[in-house]
Amino acid sequence: MASAFSKVLKRVADILWPRVCAVEGCGRTSDRPDRHLCSLCFAALPFHEAGGACRICGALVMAETHHDFVCEDCRNHPPAFERARSAVLYREPADQLIQDFKFRKATWLCADLTDLLEAAVRSKLPAHEIDVVVPVPLSPRRERERGYNQSALLADALARRLNRRFDGSSLVRVRETEHQARLSGDDRRDNLRDAFAVPDPRYVRGRTVLLVDDVMTTGATLSHCARPLRAAGAARVWCATVARAVMNART
Ligand SMILES: [Zn+2]
Ligand SMILES: [Zn+2]
């Protein structure tokens, strides 16, 4: 009854305040219920296709690959996670949407971005084996400044969709770090050393953990999060991000 009533309210709200598609320059009204991207823009997002990718980090490679292919980065610096997969490339308009979500308080984009995450997890990972969904934590100071942790919003929404437990407290950030975006290569790796910890391993021990973040660049952040999770006894750490940066140089 309550849900029928809320559906009617939503229909009324849609008529009174139509949701204009969140993609800049589109101008259409969103035709996806409770979503802010229209179906045309959603279908035109730069999807990160599965074929020809590194078995570990999911990096796309141009050449034909066998299913066990491991990229040069993962061979030189083996990450602490077993697998990382992303939904879209960090290109227009996905980059704009994520920046709005992350820096400009456009938290209403959460359902659209979770659609992407959910589709990637279900198609690229054995989703039924996931026990717990854990977000990459922000430092308390940064979370206070921003008002929310964008990765926690995504992880919470994804956990509901997958019917898995959301755990926003086992993995914590124990020290402030420079913005990763300002650093490159080795500096990114060093910057995050011992930045994350699992003070209470009870909820991750023996579990398959899905670590969630908005964007994966080099994978350094995810790897530094995966390490204490593994040390705390997590059986496996997989990662899912909405977007993946495509780098020309290895930064
Ligand atoms: Zn649109
Ligand atoms: Zn790789």
Side-chain angles (χ1 to χ4, degrees):
M1 189 65 198
S3 84
F5 182 63
S6 79
K7 271 185 193 158
V8 171
L9 277 186
K10 278 179 183 162
R11 288 294 300 270
V12 171
D14 280 353
I15 293 163
L16 292 176
W17 304 284
R19 297 180 309 276
V20 175
C21 176
V23 172
E24 235 171 66
C26 168
R28 281 182 290 264
T29 300
S30 175
D31 50 350
R32 302 169 64 241
D34 299 326
R35 300 294 190 269
H36 295 268
L37 259 72
C38 75
S39 53
L40 292 178
C41 288
F42 191 85
L45 286 170
F47 285 94
H48 191 277
E49 301 303 344
C54 169
R55 167 169 62 83
I56 299 174
C57 75
L60 295 181
V61 280
M62 292 304 145
E64 275 292 304
T65 55
H66 53 89
H67 71 285
D68 232 15
F69 173 79
V70 173
C71 77
E72 195 185 325
D73 272 357
C74 289
R75 281 200 303 271
N76 293 340
H77 303 279
F81 52 77
E82 274 85 13
R83 294 191 218 179
R85 298 293 183 265
S86 309
V88 295
L89 301 173
Y90 193 60
R91 280 197 193 133
E92 272 188 38
D95 55 351
Q96 170 230 323
L97 296 169
I98 289 173
Q99 284 170 28
D100 287 349
F101 178 63
K102 189 169 178 172
F103 300 118
R104 294 189 270 278
K105 301 203 182 324
T107 50
W108 36 269
L109 284 172
C110 189
D112 292 84
L113 299 178
T114 307
D115 290 342
L116 294 170
L117 261 182
E118 183 187 1
V121 169
R122 289 190 189 278
S123 64
K124 300 176 184 180
L125 292 169
H128 60 281
E129 293 179 23
I130 295 164
D131 296 309
V132 55
V133 184
V134 170
V136 169
L138 283 180
S139 74
R141 183 175 64 83
R142 206 160 288 159
E143 188 162 345
R144 255 195 322 277
E145 286 166 6
R146 195 170 293 174
Y148 57 98
N149 173 0
Q150 75 284 351
S151 301
L153 297 182
L154 292 168
D156 190 12
L158 179 66
R160 283 169 214 266
R161 303 262 190 106
L162 299 175
N163 201 18
R164 290 295 181 273
R165 194 161 54 78
F166 166 71
D167 180 350
S169 51
S170 284
L171 179 68
V172 297
R173 196 181 279 249
V174 286
R175 93 183 151 71
E176 293 284 343
T177 52
E178 274 287 312
H179 275 289
Q180 285 292 91
R182 297 191 191 128
L183 306 168
S184 67
D186 291 341
D187 289 340
R188 277 180 177 245
R189 276 183 280 271
D190 290 342
N191 179 44
L192 290 166
R193 204 172 297 284
D194 303 322
F196 302 95
V198 178
D200 181 353
R202 252 182 308 172
Y203 302 107
V204 296
R205 190 184 293 137
R207 308 273 190 238
T208 294
V209 174
L210 181 71
L211 193 57
V212 169
D213 206 359
D214 51 353
V215 182
M216 172 173 173
T217 306
T218 60
T221 303
L222 293 169
S223 189
H224 279 280
C225 287
R227 193 161 296 131
L229 285 166
R230 292 303 301 270
R236 294 180 290 192
V237 179
W238 296 338
C239 308
T241 66
V242 176
R244 176 161 182 139
V246 186
M247 290 163 291
N248 297 321
R250 292 194 178 276
T251 50

